[in-house]
């Protein structure tokens, strides 16, 4: 028994230290932030709390559809285009697609903006190639701080939407980490009713770049979009929550940043 | 403070959660181990009470990982033990063989149903152009490991290498011993049963050496493997989405990841067992230092390769039936080894290619032995071995044949070395961790033995400090994401 005491004491003391430290928000040692083990959070978490702190439904400005639409149960071919945020969103949307009989094609254009997409006909080309019946867009994160954005990007946002034509779509707004200079308002103004999901105001766990949500948080972000769709999207489609955390789109196209 | 909520969460943590098996690096395991340890230490001298306590804890450990399937483990152990007792009383060879056959068939049937039923049905439906609907089967954790242990026990009893245990409890202890239950090492009856009988107590040095192994295991599994896997996952999820250089890094990354993951977990298992006074055989011995494939399999997952040698290769005839049969036996053994890893053709292919590689190496031995043993010859041998092993990991890891080929093709057709500085700049943490593990793996074995001895002899406070630092590092890296993109802007 005595022989084990030293080893056991190390375990107990370490456990006590990490448990105690997890009760503090942030501890810095010599300017270096020590992360929390999250033990206390795990013990005190309310059942089924998500990472998303508040529901974005509460802050949808002009885009809320008054009457819930009937959910389209037919299998869809979904085209999902956008910037690097798709790295986190796309695998989760692929899981939804897989579970609900949809087919997903993703096009990730790194560092892209509404300007990059809007000054080309890429979207139209992909629509012709994949013949989607539904389009998801995630754009705006690279232009949160552009000055005079309403003047400079209005035509590009309009062009993107015009390329979609009559297809139903959902534009997932950027996950602001700071207040934007107007990109969310610009998209909301141009998007059809029930086609813009405002992500601004949601809480995200961020990756170390401070901008991208972590994979888990991005998955929950997509869950929020899926929860929002049945009652608020102009054209809701079947989006039952999948068991799998992620899946792979049928095809992923990567476009490198414009030089 | 809402105590009812805390109790609710503790109860939730202690009950079976489908997606949260209990692993050694989890907080819940360590919390339970803190409770387990003093009770175990108290009971260690009272053998029967210790056996009851450890079997109960092991079954709980298995319940936490696999839910009601712990009953399957109980059932398997009861059947094996009963048949082993019946076997030794039989006078005729036929009846003795029958006992072995029933036990092995029962163990393999359970394994086949849970692990391979959908695979076989899928293949069947492909052959007959049928409409395949997979059965909703949950694979009990660790079933492949304890099935092999169960087979080795009954075969060893039949061969007279071990006597059947006097009681079911001792056998259940062997089969369900929690340190090795879910991911090995595969414990052999002839090695382990005498330890249960002797009930040797661990010395102070062994306790701290076990602790040292646990710390190494945590570093390999929870710090390095879990972090670098994030980047590797990106590459394998999107085979054509990255440059050849990035794909190559993903392949090298996965080569180190699977080693760190598996050997790290084995280190933890061996360390925990040692602390409890039980010695498990080594499972990894710096496998990527191997100069040929035969050596690789003597260093990689040693408990599996030696099991396959003793219970598949040798019964097939080993090298006793001529050169050609030796190659065939080697190949078949590796094929089974491949299938053991998972129910998919990619694992069969992976095993077959290793089998073919071993056969080629065996066939080339007379010729190879004539080459002078110079440093550059050893370097070439090492390079050929590591490249072959790493390439086969691509097939092991990728989701499909197509993905495997795309990744390999991408490495050769889309390789631009000028991406390297940017790669290092953007994914510097990944590069640092990879460098650490590659250097650590390359260090001489005796250095590691020396480091272990130093740790054991170090003052108690130093051990505490080392443990605290390692755990905090794990916490730091736990929520750290690898940058998925080579470009700083997104």
């Amino acid at each position: 028994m005595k022989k084990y005491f030293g080893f056991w004491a190390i375990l107990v003391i370490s456990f006590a230290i990490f448990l105690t430290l997890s009760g503090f928000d942030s501890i810095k040692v010599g300017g270096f932030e020590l992360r929390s083990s999250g033990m206390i959070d795990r013990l005190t978490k309310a059942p089924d709390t998500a990472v998303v702190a508040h529901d974005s439904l509460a802050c949808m400005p002009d885009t809320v559809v008054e009457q819930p639409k009937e959910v389209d149960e037919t299998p869809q071919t979904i085209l999902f285009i956008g910037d690097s945020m798709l790295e986190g969103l796309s695998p989760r949307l692929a899981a939804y697609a897989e579970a609900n009989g949809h087919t997903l094609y993703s096009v990730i254009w790194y560092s892209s903006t509404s300007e990059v997409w809007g000054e080309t006909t890429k979207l139209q080309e992909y629509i012709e190639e994949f013949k989607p019946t539904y389009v998801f867009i995630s754009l705006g994160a690279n232009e949160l701080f552009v000055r005079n954005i309403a003047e400079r990007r209005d035509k590009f946002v309009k062009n993107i939407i015009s390329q979609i034509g009559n297809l139903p779509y959902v534009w997932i707004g950027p996950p602001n980490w700071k207040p934007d200079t107007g990109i969310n308002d610009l998209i909301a103004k141009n998007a059809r009713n029930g086609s813009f999901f405002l992500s601004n105001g949601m809480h995200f766990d961020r990756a170390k770049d401070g901008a991208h949500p972590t994979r888990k948080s991005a998955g929950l972000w997509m869950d929020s979009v899926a929860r929002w769709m049945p009652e608020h999207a102009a054209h809701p489609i079947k989006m039952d929550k999948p068991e799998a955390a992620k899946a792979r789109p049928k095809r992923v196209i990567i476009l490198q940043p414009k030089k | 403070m809402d105590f009812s909520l805390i109790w609710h969460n503790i109860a939730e943590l202690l009950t079976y959660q489908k997606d949260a098996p209990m692993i050694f690096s989890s907080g819940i395991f360590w919390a339970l181990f803190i409770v387990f340890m003093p009770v175990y230490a108290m009971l260690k001298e009272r053998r029967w009470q210790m056996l009851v306590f450890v079997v109960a804890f092991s079954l709980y450990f298995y319940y936490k990982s696999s839910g009601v399937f712990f009953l399957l483990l109980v059932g398997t152990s009861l059947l094996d033990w009963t048949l082993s007792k019946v076997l030794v009383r039989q006078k005729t060879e036929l009846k003795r063989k029958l006992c072995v056959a029933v036990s092995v068939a029962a163990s393999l049937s359970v394994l086949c149903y849970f692990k391979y039923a959908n695979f076989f049905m899928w293949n069947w439906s492909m052959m007959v152009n049928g409409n395949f609907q997979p059965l909703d089967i949950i694979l009990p954790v660790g079933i492949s490991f304890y099935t092999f242990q169960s087979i080795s026990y009954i075969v060893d009893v039949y061969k007279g290498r071990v006597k059947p245990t006097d009681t079911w409890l001792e056998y259940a202890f062997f089969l369900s011993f929690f340190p090795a239950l879910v991911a090995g090492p595969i414990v052999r009856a002839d090695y382990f049963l005498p330890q249960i009988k002797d009930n040797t107590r661990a010395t102070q040095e062994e306790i701290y050496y076990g602790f040292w192994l646990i710390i190494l295991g945590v570093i390999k599994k929870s710090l390095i493997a879990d972090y670098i896997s994030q980047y590797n996952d990106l590459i394998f999820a999107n085979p054509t989405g990255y440059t050849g250089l990035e794909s190559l890094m993903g392949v090298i990354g996965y080569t180190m990841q699977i080693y760190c993951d598996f050997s790290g977990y084995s280190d933890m298992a061996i360390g925990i067992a040692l602390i409890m006074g039980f010695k498990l055989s080594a499972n990894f011995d710096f496998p990527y230092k191997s100069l040929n494939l035969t050596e690789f399999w003597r260093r990689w997952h040693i408990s599996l390769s030696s099991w396959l040698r003793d219970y598949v290769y040798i019964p097939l005839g080993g090298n006793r039936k001529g050169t050609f049969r030796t190659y065939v036996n080697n190949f078949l053994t590796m094929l089974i080894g491949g299938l053991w890893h998972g129910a998919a053709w990619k694992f069969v292919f992976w095993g077959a290619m290793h089998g073919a590689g071993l056969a080629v190496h065996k066939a080339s031995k007379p010729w190879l032995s004539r080459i002078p043993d110079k440093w550059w010859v050893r370097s070439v041998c090492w390079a050929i071995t590591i490249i072959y092993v790493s390439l086969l990991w691509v097939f092991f890891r990728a989701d499909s044949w197509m993905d495997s080929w795309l990744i390999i093709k991408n490495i050769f057709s889309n390789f631009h070395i000028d991406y390297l500085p940017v790669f290092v700049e953007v994914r510097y943490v990944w590069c640092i961790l990879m460098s650490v593990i590659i250097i650590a793996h390359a260090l001489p074995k005796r250095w590691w033995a020396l480091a272990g001895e130093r740790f054991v002899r170090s003052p108690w406070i130093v051990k505490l400090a080392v443990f605290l630092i390692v755990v905090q590092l794990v916490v730091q890296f736990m929520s750290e994401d690898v940058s998925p993109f080579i470009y700083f802007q997104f």
Side-chain angles (χ1 to χ4, degrees):
Chain A
M1 178 73 186
K2 259 166 55 182
K3 280 184 296 190
Y4 283 107
F5 187 75
F7 167 66
W8 185 70
I10 290 174
L11 294 186
V12 173
I13 291 169
S14 307
F15 193 82
I17 289 173
F18 284 104
L19 186 68
T20 310
L21 290 183
S22 70
F24 296 91
D25 283 341
S26 162
I27 296 167
K28 287 198 172 175
V29 178
F32 185 74
E33 189 182 338
L34 296 181
R35 289 196 175 147
S36 163
S37 62
M39 287 156 90
I40 295 230
D41 286 349
R42 179 66 189 84
L43 290 176
T44 55
K45 83 171 176 93
D48 297 317
T49 44
V51 174
V52 177
H54 64 266
D55 204 315
S56 69
L57 304 184
C59 51
M60 303 302 299
D62 307 320
T63 62
V64 178
V65 177
E66 285 166 8
Q67 290 298 318
K69 303 276 181 192
E70 200 174 311
V71 173
D72 183 350
E73 299 276 341
T74 58
Q76 305 287 325
T77 300
I78 301 170
L79 174 64
F80 191 11
I81 64 127
D83 55 30
S84 57
M85 293 297 165
L86 261 73
E87 286 275 9
L89 289 169
S90 173
R92 186 64 182 153
L93 182 57
Y96 275 94
E98 198 172 271
N100 292 281
H102 309 314
T103 307
L104 175 67
Y105 296 93
S106 295
V107 182
I108 309 174
W109 196 343
Y110 289 125
S111 308
S112 66
T113 58
S114 59
E115 183 182 12
V116 168
W117 283 92
E119 67 182 2
T120 67
T121 54
K122 283 264 182 214
L123 176 54
Q124 210 170 337
E125 289 162 23
Y126 287 120
I127 288 174
E128 280 161 22
E129 183 179 350
F130 297 123
K131 312 261 184 301
T133 54
Y134 213 101
V135 176
F136 278 79
I137 303 168
S138 172
L139 275 175
N142 289 313
E143 45 206 331
L144 286 177
F145 315 119
V146 175
R147 286 183 194 169
N148 304 323
I149 193 156
E151 292 163 30
R152 294 166 63 184
R153 298 291 159 89
D154 188 59
K155 62 176 178 182
F156 299 120
V157 171
K158 281 193 167 73
N159 187 20
I160 291 170
I161 290 168
S162 73
Q163 286 187 53
I164 298 172
N166 291 326
L167 291 171
Y169 68 92
V170 170
W171 189 317
I172 303 169
N176 289 49
W177 52 99
K178 279 183 182 171
D180 59 81
T181 53
I183 183 70
N184 278 300
D185 288 344
L186 181 67
I187 303 166
K189 189 186 88 183
N190 284 292
R192 286 201 292 264
N193 254 6
S195 298
F196 175 54
F197 177 86
L198 181 68
S199 309
N200 188 12
M202 294 168 76
H203 167 79
F204 297 95
D205 280 349
R206 308 277 179 176
K208 68 173 176 179
D209 62 8
H212 292 88
T214 60
R215 309 272 147 63
K216 189 178 171 197
S217 196
L220 290 166
W221 183 16
M222 195 65 233
D223 286 345
S224 300
V225 178
R227 277 203 307 275
W228 168 85
M229 286 181 70
E231 290 196 14
H232 302 276
H235 186 105
I237 55 171
K238 196 169 169 236
M239 290 286 269
D240 294 342
K241 198 171 180 180
E243 276 194 21
K246 59 183 181 178
R248 288 179 57 184
K250 185 169 183 193
R251 194 168 154 202
V252 181
I253 293 171
I254 306 274
L255 302 175
Q256 301 299 353
K258 281 185 77 174
K259 298 263 162 102
Chain B
M1 190 176 282
D2 186 351
F3 284 105
S4 63
L5 189 65
I6 293 173
W7 281 120
H8 167 84
N9 287 332
I10 290 174
E12 194 180 72
L13 282 169
L14 292 176
T15 47
Y16 166 62
Q17 306 289 320
K18 193 179 162 195
D19 299 322
M22 189 146 68
I23 54 172
F24 298 143
S25 45
S26 65
I28 182 68
F29 174 78
W30 285 104
L32 287 172
F33 197 62
I34 284 171
V35 180
F36 170 88
M37 223 39 243
V39 181
Y40 177 79
M42 273 193 301
L43 298 178
K44 180 69 179 167
E45 315 243 335
R46 287 167 257 181
R47 185 169 168 268
W48 289 108
Q49 289 175 27
M50 182 275 286
L51 289 179
V52 171
F53 177 64
V54 174
V55 168
F57 187 82
S58 295
L59 290 177
Y60 169 71
F61 183 90
Y62 197 62
Y63 154 77
K64 185 74 183 74
S65 301
S66 281
V68 290
F69 287 123
F70 81 93
L71 294 172
L72 200 66
L73 184 62
V74 175
T76 303
S77 65
L78 276 169
L79 183 72
D80 287 344
W81 181 75
T82 310
L83 284 167
S84 70
K85 295 300 264 185
V86 173
L87 186 153
V88 289
R89 279 194 227 114
Q90 301 309 311
K91 300 277 187 264
T92 65
E93 187 61 13
L94 184 70
K95 285 180 181 169
R96 286 164 55 81
K97 279 187 174 165
L98 191 66
C99 289
V100 177
V102 171
S103 174
V104 171
S107 295
L108 287 181
S109 308
V110 173
L111 179 67
C112 282
Y113 172 72
F114 283 104
K115 193 163 181 174
Y116 302 106
N118 276 326
F119 176 62
F120 290 140
M121 282 166 54
W122 177 79
N123 281 292
W124 176 252
S125 80
M126 291 296 279
M127 281 192 286
V128 298
N129 281 330
N131 183 17
F132 173 63
Q133 292 295 325
L135 300 173
D136 190 15
I137 298 173
I138 297 169
L139 180 68
V141 172
I143 191 169
S144 310
F145 289 93
Y146 77 70
T147 300
F148 273 24
Q149 286 188 197
S150 133
I151 292 171
S152 82
Y153 170 74
I154 197 78
V155 172
D156 285 357
V157 170
Y158 169 75
K159 296 262 184 191
R161 287 198 280 251
V162 292
K163 286 183 181 161
T165 58
D166 294 332
T167 61
W168 169 78
L169 194 64
E170 288 164 291
Y171 181 66
F173 187 98
F174 157 71
L175 199 66
S176 67
F177 187 56
F178 73 89
L181 182 57
V182 296
I186 298 167
V187 182
R188 299 279 281 273
D190 57 346
Y191 183 69
F192 197 70
L193 291 181
Q195 296 188 51
I196 302 175
K197 266 226 151 17
D198 296 347
N199 194 25
T200 316
R201 287 145 193 80
T203 62
Q204 185 91 62
E205 285 72 30
E206 283 172 339
I207 291 169
Y208 283 125
Y209 191 71
F211 189 36
W212 166 249
L213 289 178
I214 290 170
I215 289 173
L216 286 186
V218 169
I219 293 172
K220 283 199 249 181
K221 163 83 184 82
S222 307
L223 189 62
I224 297 176
D226 288 357
Y227 181 81
I228 63 176
S229 70
Q230 295 181 65
Y231 170 72
N232 309 332
D233 288 349
L234 290 170
I235 298 297
F236 281 92
N238 193 2
T240 53
Y242 296 87
T243 63
L245 176 90
E246 288 173 295
S247 296
L248 177 65
M249 291 299 185
V251 172
I252 298 171
Y254 184 70
T255 302
M256 296 319 291
Q257 178 199 332
I258 192 165
Y259 166 70
C260 288
D261 199 279
F262 200 2
S263 78
Y265 205 79
S266 290
D267 286 344
M268 286 190 256
I270 294 166
I272 292 167
L274 193 59
I275 287 165
M276 292 169 67
F278 293 92
K279 293 183 177 72
L280 302 181
S281 51
N283 217 15
F284 290 85
D285 182 21
F286 300 88
Y288 294 143
K289 286 183 180 177
S290 306
L291 301 184
N292 56 62
L293 221 49
T294 309
E295 187 186 353
F296 174 78
W297 278 103
R298 284 191 194 125
R299 289 167 174 264
W300 179 271
H301 203 175
I302 301 163
S303 65
L304 174 70
S305 44
S306 58
W307 192 99
L308 289 169
R309 181 196 61 208
D310 295 344
Y311 298 96
V312 181
Y313 177 69
I314 292 174
L316 280 172
N319 58 2
R320 304 184 305 275
K321 299 194 173 176
T323 314
F324 180 70
R325 269 295 296 272
T326 303
Y327 299 154
V328 172
N329 291 341
N330 229 318
F331 185 77
L332 286 175
T333 305
M334 290 312 294
L335 213 63
I336 291 168
L339 196 59
W340 179 87
H341 283 84
W345 283 110
K346 64 177 184 175
F347 297 115
V348 179
F349 174 77
W350 175 80
M353 291 307 287
H354 269 285
L358 286 170
V360 168
H361 177 245
K362 271 199 165 58
S364 320
K365 259 185 178 172
W367 173 76
L368 287 170
S369 62
R370 290 205 291 272
I371 300 175
D373 186 17
K374 305 267 191 205
W375 71 266
W376 61 267
V377 175
R378 284 200 295 274
S379 304
V380 171
C381 291
W382 174 81
I384 292 170
T385 308
I386 193 74
I387 290 170
Y388 189 74
V389 167
S390 304
L391 278 179
L392 289 182
W393 284 134
V394 177
F395 294 91
F396 188 92
R397 169 62 180 80
D399 290 341
S400 65
W401 295 93
M402 184 53 79
D403 283 5
S404 308
W405 289 117
L406 286 174
I407 286 171
I408 293 167
K409 196 177 129 195
N410 200 34
I411 292 172
F412 290 103
S413 62
N414 188 18
F415 191 89
H416 304 287
I417 196 68
D418 21 321
Y419 274 92
L420 189 60
V422 193
F423 181 94
V424 174
E425 188 186 335
V426 175
R427 300 190 184 109
Y428 64 97
V429 180
W430 187 90
C431 292
I432 290 169
L433 289 183
M434 283 293 291
S435 308
V436 165
I437 188 60
I438 289 170
I439 292 167
H441 187 275
L443 290 176
K445 204 170 150 184
R446 62 193 155 80
W447 288 22
W448 284 107
L450 206 66
E453 279 171 32
R454 283 268 168 85
F455 178 82
V456 170
R457 286 204 305 267
S458 65
W460 179 86
I461 195 77
V462 172
K463 295 185 180 87
L464 174 66
V466 169
F467 189 62
L468 286 173
I469 290 168
V470 168
V471 176
Q472 185 58 42
L473 277 173
V474 171
V475 171
Q476 292 291 131
F477 279 85
M478 216 159 46
S479 51
E480 192 82 20
D481 274 2
V482 178
S483 173
F485 332 111
I486 199 156
Y487 300 95
F488 202 70
Q489 206 200 1
F490 41 88

